[in-house]
PDB file of all heavy atoms in Angstrom:
ATOM      1  N   GLU A  18     108.649  -8.226  20.488  1.00  0.00           N
ATOM      2  CA  GLU A  18     107.589  -8.822  21.321  1.00  0.00           C
ATOM      3  C   GLU A  18     107.373 -10.286  20.936  1.00  0.00           C
ATOM      4  O   GLU A  18     107.245 -11.159  21.803  1.00  0.00           O
ATOM      5  CB  GLU A  18     106.295  -8.022  21.182  1.00  0.00           C
ATOM      6  CG  GLU A  18     105.177  -8.466  22.090  1.00  0.00           C
ATOM      7  CD  GLU A  18     105.471  -8.257  23.568  1.00  0.00           C
ATOM      8  OE1 GLU A  18     106.235  -7.357  23.930  1.00  0.00           O
ATOM      9  OE2 GLU A  18     104.912  -9.035  24.371  1.00  0.00           O
ATOM     10  N   LEU A  40      92.197 -17.517  14.174  1.00  0.00           N
ATOM     11  CA  LEU A  40      91.122 -17.967  13.286  1.00  0.00           C
ATOM     12  C   LEU A  40      90.038 -18.727  14.049  1.00  0.00           C
ATOM     13  O   LEU A  40      88.851 -18.567  13.782  1.00  0.00           O
ATOM     14  CB  LEU A  40      91.685 -18.828  12.151  1.00  0.00           C
ATOM     15  CG  LEU A  40      92.575 -18.084  11.148  1.00  0.00           C
ATOM     16  CD1 LEU A  40      93.204 -19.065  10.173  1.00  0.00           C
ATOM     17  CD2 LEU A  40      91.805 -16.999  10.430  1.00  0.00           C
ATOM     18  N   GLN A  55      70.014 -14.211  15.818  1.00  0.00           N
ATOM     19  CA  GLN A  55      68.824 -15.063  15.792  1.00  0.00           C
ATOM     20  C   GLN A  55      67.920 -14.763  16.981  1.00  0.00           C
ATOM     21  O   GLN A  55      66.699 -14.693  16.848  1.00  0.00           O
ATOM     22  CB  GLN A  55      69.214 -16.535  15.777  1.00  0.00           C
ATOM     23  CG  GLN A  55      69.808 -16.989  14.462  1.00  0.00           C
ATOM     24  CD  GLN A  55      70.399 -18.391  14.537  1.00  0.00           C
ATOM     25  OE1 GLN A  55      70.616 -18.935  15.615  1.00  0.00           O
ATOM     26  NE2 GLN A  55      70.672 -18.971  13.380  1.00  0.00           N
ATOM     27  N   LYS A  60      63.132 -12.081  19.312  1.00  0.00           N
ATOM     28  CA  LYS A  60      62.554 -11.070  20.203  1.00  0.00           C
ATOM     29  C   LYS A  60      61.756 -10.053  19.401  1.00  0.00           C
ATOM     30  O   LYS A  60      60.661  -9.663  19.795  1.00  0.00           O
ATOM     31  CB  LYS A  60      63.648 -10.355  20.990  1.00  0.00           C
ATOM     32  CG  LYS A  60      63.082  -9.279  21.912  1.00  0.00           C
ATOM     33  CD  LYS A  60      64.120  -8.569  22.711  1.00  0.00           C
ATOM     34  CE  LYS A  60      63.461  -7.532  23.608  1.00  0.00           C
ATOM     35  NZ  LYS A  60      64.376  -6.889  24.505  1.00  0.00           N
ATOM     36  N   GLN A  65      56.674  -7.636  17.821  1.00  0.00           N
ATOM     37  CA  GLN A  65      55.700  -7.270  16.792  1.00  0.00           C
ATOM     38  C   GLN A  65      54.344  -7.881  17.084  1.00  0.00           C
ATOM     39  O   GLN A  65      53.310  -7.213  16.956  1.00  0.00           O
ATOM     40  CB  GLN A  65      56.195  -7.707  15.412  1.00  0.00           C
ATOM     41  CG  GLN A  65      57.333  -6.884  14.878  1.00  0.00           C
ATOM     42  CD  GLN A  65      57.888  -7.435  13.572  1.00  0.00           C
ATOM     43  OE1 GLN A  65      57.520  -8.510  13.125  1.00  0.00           O
ATOM     44  NE2 GLN A  65      58.785  -6.681  12.965  1.00  0.00           N
ATOM     45  N   ILE A  78      39.481  -0.392  23.554  1.00  0.00           N
ATOM     46  CA  ILE A  78      39.336   0.694  24.536  1.00  0.00           C
ATOM     47  C   ILE A  78      38.548   1.858  23.931  1.00  0.00           C
ATOM     48  O   ILE A  78      37.678   2.441  24.576  1.00  0.00           O
ATOM     49  CB  ILE A  78      40.721   1.156  25.046  1.00  0.00           C
ATOM     50  CG1 ILE A  78      41.343   0.056  25.922  1.00  0.00           C
ATOM     51  CG2 ILE A  78      40.623   2.472  25.814  1.00  0.00           C
ATOM     52  CD1 ILE A  78      42.775   0.324  26.335  1.00  0.00           C
ATOM     53  N   GLN A  80      36.304   1.677  21.588  1.00  0.00           N
ATOM     54  CA  GLN A  80      34.896   1.273  21.494  1.00  0.00           C
ATOM     55  C   GLN A  80      34.212   1.381  22.854  1.00  0.00           C
ATOM     56  O   GLN A  80      33.071   1.842  22.949  1.00  0.00           O
ATOM     57  CB  GLN A  80      34.790  -0.151  20.954  1.00  0.00           C
ATOM     58  CG  GLN A  80      35.169  -0.268  19.489  1.00  0.00           C
ATOM     59  CD  GLN A  80      35.132  -1.710  19.016  1.00  0.00           C
ATOM     60  OE1 GLN A  80      34.737  -2.616  19.741  1.00  0.00           O
ATOM     61  NE2 GLN A  80      35.541  -1.912  17.772  1.00  0.00           N
ATOM     62  N   THR A  91      22.348   2.377  30.764  1.00  0.00           N
ATOM     63  CA  THR A  91      21.910   2.217  32.154  1.00  0.00           C
ATOM     64  C   THR A  91      23.148   2.222  33.048  1.00  0.00           C
ATOM     65  O   THR A  91      24.275   2.047  32.579  1.00  0.00           O
ATOM     66  CB  THR A  91      21.151   0.890  32.345  1.00  0.00           C
ATOM     67  OG1 THR A  91      22.063  -0.178  32.131  1.00  0.00           O
ATOM     68  CG2 THR A  91      19.966   0.776  31.407  1.00  0.00           C
ATOM     69  N   LYS A  95      26.967   0.843  32.195  1.00  0.00           N
ATOM     70  CA  LYS A  95      28.166   1.639  32.394  1.00  0.00           C
ATOM     71  C   LYS A  95      29.148   0.935  33.328  1.00  0.00           C
ATOM     72  O   LYS A  95      30.361   0.935  33.091  1.00  0.00           O
ATOM     73  CB  LYS A  95      27.817   3.030  32.937  1.00  0.00           C
ATOM     74  CG  LYS A  95      27.249   3.948  31.891  1.00  0.00           C
ATOM     75  CD  LYS A  95      27.057   5.347  32.440  1.00  0.00           C
ATOM     76  CE  LYS A  95      26.510   6.242  31.333  1.00  0.00           C
ATOM     77  NZ  LYS A  95      26.386   7.630  31.764  1.00  0.00           N
ATOM     78  N   LEU A 101      35.073  -3.795  32.092  1.00  0.00           N
ATOM     79  CA  LEU A 101      35.823  -4.241  30.910  1.00  0.00           C
ATOM     80  C   LEU A 101      37.039  -3.354  30.671  1.00  0.00           C
ATOM     81  O   LEU A 101      38.121  -3.837  30.329  1.00  0.00           O
ATOM     82  CB  LEU A 101      34.927  -4.236  29.671  1.00  0.00           C
ATOM     83  CG  LEU A 101      33.885  -5.339  29.563  1.00  0.00           C
ATOM     84  CD1 LEU A 101      33.007  -5.107  28.333  1.00  0.00           C
ATOM     85  CD2 LEU A 101      34.572  -6.691  29.466  1.00  0.00           C
ATOM     86  N   LEU A 113      52.800  -5.034  28.417  1.00  0.00           N
ATOM     87  CA  LEU A 113      53.979  -4.167  28.445  1.00  0.00           C
ATOM     88  C   LEU A 113      55.080  -4.770  29.315  1.00  0.00           C
ATOM     89  O   LEU A 113      56.265  -4.714  28.973  1.00  0.00           O
ATOM     90  CB  LEU A 113      53.601  -2.765  28.939  1.00  0.00           C
ATOM     91  CG  LEU A 113      52.753  -1.940  27.975  1.00  0.00           C
ATOM     92  CD1 LEU A 113      52.281  -0.650  28.647  1.00  0.00           C
ATOM     93  CD2 LEU A 113      53.530  -1.627  26.706  1.00  0.00           C
ATOM     94  N   GLN A 114      54.698  -5.368  30.427  1.00  0.00           N
ATOM     95  CA  GLN A 114      55.677  -6.026  31.294  1.00  0.00           C
ATOM     96  C   GLN A 114      56.320  -7.198  30.559  1.00  0.00           C
ATOM     97  O   GLN A 114      57.525  -7.411  30.640  1.00  0.00           O
ATOM     98  CB  GLN A 114      55.013  -6.495  32.602  1.00  0.00           C
ATOM     99  CG  GLN A 114      55.986  -7.060  33.605  1.00  0.00           C
ATOM    100  CD  GLN A 114      57.039  -6.046  34.031  1.00  0.00           C
ATOM    101  OE1 GLN A 114      56.772  -4.857  34.170  1.00  0.00           O
ATOM    102  NE2 GLN A 114      58.251  -6.513  34.219  1.00  0.00           N
TER     103      GLN A 114
END
Side-chain angles (χ1 to χ4, degrees):
E18 185 65 28
L40 293 173
Q55 288 171 345
K60 179 179 181 174
Q65 288 174 352
I78 290 173
Q80 290 176 5
T91 66
K95 284 186 179 184
L101 286 175
L113 290 172
Q114 186 60 37

